[in-house]
Amino acid sequence: MSKVDVFRALHRGRLPGDPLVLPGPWDALSARVCEEAGFPALATPSAGIAAALGHEDGSTPADEMFAAVARVCGAVDVPVSADVEGGYGLAPKELVERLLEAGAVGCNLEDSRQGVLKDPREHADWLAEVRYAAGDLLFVNARVDTFAYGDGDPERAIERAALYVAAGADCVYPIGAPAHVLPLLRSGIQGPLNVLGRLDGKGPSPTELGELGATRVTFGPGLQRRAARQMRELADSLRT
């Protein structure tokens, strides 16, 4: 079974309370740590990689992002999905080629640009082109930014999600959706549902998110930011 087939299989038959948990490594070392911890797959965060490379979130040059993804993929044996933001203006065929060259089996693609929601039908058409170019070689996670940059209306999120699923998205990611609306999103969205988890103990645990409807849980740059805080604490301790 190929890595992408393994990755797809990990999304199937998830029981409530048992979502697929995908940590977000930002370099080869953190990827190996996550693999050694027993995670069956990983999902790189664009914001975490940006910070590690010295860029602001959303400003990483495409070449640097794909090189970083390739380092993560090359460091581990488990499948890796890559957050490639809005696709860096690449044509669908080139975007797919670069993801596959980097070794990724999946990708996050967001439906906003510089904090403004894209037209959902135009974005769906673009996703359909990505799907056509990728065939079955990539697992496409369509991010829905209604809660991040829109009015936060769950029905609008469901409408956008339906268009993306119809275009061939394998999974939908309503980033920033409040926990209390997850059951509504779950009932209105076909296929796997990706939910953003928190690592500060202030939100539902992955198990609780699964009980609310999450098929899989990712953390964005959460691991990288927490590691940076811990390093700061250690660095401060060296000065005492």
Side-chain angles (χ1 to χ4, degrees), residues 82-226:
D83 181 353
V84 288
E85 303 176 303
Y88 308 109
L90 300 174
K93 185 174 184 294
E94 183 178 359
L95 175 62
V96 168
E97 289 174 349
R98 297 201 67 173
L99 282 162
L100 295 176
E101 287 171 358
V105 302
C107 60
N108 279 7
L109 295 170
E110 58 197 45
D111 69 344
S112 63
R113 181 183 297 109
Q114 296 180 337
V116 178
L117 290 173
K118 298 177 182 178
D119 178 273
R121 295 190 181 279
E122 291 179 1
H123 186 62
D125 289 342
W126 182 75
L127 285 175
E129 293 182 47
V130 173
R131 172 83 285 155
Y132 178 79
D136 293 330
L137 299 179
L138 284 176
F139 186 98
V140 178
N141 189 33
R143 207 175 90 174
V144 178
D145 286 356
T146 306
F147 298 97
Y149 304 120
D151 60 8
D153 185 340
E155 293 298 338
R156 300 290 82 76
I158 290 172
E159 290 170 2
R160 296 175 83 92
L163 289 171
Y164 305 159
V165 171
D170 297 286
C171 186
V172 175
Y173 180 18
I175 189 170
H180 72 271
V181 305
L182 292 181
L184 176 60
L185 296 178
R186 175 67 285 165
S187 66
I189 294 175
Q190 296 183 356
L193 183 66
N194 189 148
V195 174
L196 180 66
R198 298 182 62 165
L199 296 171
D200 58 6
K202 296 181 180 180
S205 68
T207 296
E208 291 168 332
L209 291 174
E211 292 170 345
L212 291 170
T215 308
R216 79 182 208 182
V217 178
T218 54
F219 304 92
L223 279 176
Q224 193 267 350
R225 290 174 179 172
R226 185 163 180 172

Side-chain angles (χ1 to χ4, degrees), residues 24 26 45-48 50-51 56-57 199 219-232:
W26 58 94
S46 61
E56 294 295 324
D57 184 20
L199 296 171
F219 304 92
L223 279 176
Q224 193 267 350
R225 290 174 179 172
R226 185 163 180 172
R229 288 195 297 271
Q230 291 175 332
M231 185 173 179
R232 174 60 186 269

Side-chain angles (χ1 to χ4, degrees), residues 40-106:
L42 310 173
T44 65
S46 61
I49 287 177
L53 295 177
H55 299 294
E56 294 295 324
D57 184 20
S59 65
T60 307
D63 288 347
E64 291 190 41
M65 183 62 72
F66 286 112
V69 170
R71 286 191 290 272
V72 169
C73 293
V76 295
D77 292 326
V78 297
V80 177
S81 182
D83 181 353
V84 288
E85 303 176 303
Y88 308 109
L90 300 174
K93 185 174 184 294
E94 183 178 359
L95 175 62
V96 168
E97 289 174 349
R98 297 201 67 173
L99 282 162
L100 295 176
E101 287 171 358
V105 302

